[in-house]
């Protein structure tokens, strides 16, 4: 019985009951999830290409390029 009344169990119960009784909130969470998918998946594909993969052939060349960039940035 002590584990049932623990702090973490009460926190989980609070959120589970809250999500279960939502009406408008479910639609808002769906919008948030769709928006996050668009931001992280679609925009990354079009606006943030993998320049290291494109410009360098091996991992060693990529590591050297990053190292050189960091050294010149810190100087």
């Amino acid at each position: 019985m002590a584990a049932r009344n623990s702090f973490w169990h009460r926190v989980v119960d609070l959120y589970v009951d809250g999500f279960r009784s939502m009406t408008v909130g479910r639609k808002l969470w769906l919008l948030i999830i769709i928006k996050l998918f668009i931001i992280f998946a679609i925009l990354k594909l079009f606006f943030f290409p993998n320049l290291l993969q494109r410009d360098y052939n091996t991992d060693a060349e990529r590591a050297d390029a990053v190292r050189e960039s960091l050294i010149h940035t810190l100087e």
Side-chain angles (χ1 to χ4, degrees):
M1 188 71 173
R4 185 105 173 119
N5 290 327
S6 72
F7 172 74
W8 295 111
H9 191 278
R10 289 182 300 181
V11 169
V12 170
D13 279 344
L14 175 76
Y15 281 101
V16 168
D17 290 339
F19 283 118
R20 197 176 288 145
S21 63
M22 272 193 214
T23 54
V24 177
R26 289 183 185 186
K27 292 177 185 173
L28 294 176
W29 275 109
L30 181 64
L31 285 173
I32 290 169
I33 291 169
I34 291 170
K35 189 177 193 180
L36 287 173
F37 175 77
I38 290 171
I39 289 171
F40 288 112
I42 296 174
L43 290 179
K44 184 186 180 312
L45 290 174
F46 293 114
F47 295 109
F48 302 107
N50 193 345
L51 299 177
L52 290 174
Q53 187 76 29
R54 184 189 69 190
D55 295 340
Y56 302 100
N57 295 326
T58 65
D59 286 338
E61 290 177 354
R62 292 180 198 110
D64 288 337
V66 170
R67 191 177 303 115
E68 289 297 320
S69 176
L70 287 173
I71 289 171
H72 290 300
T73 302
L74 294 176
E75 290 179 343

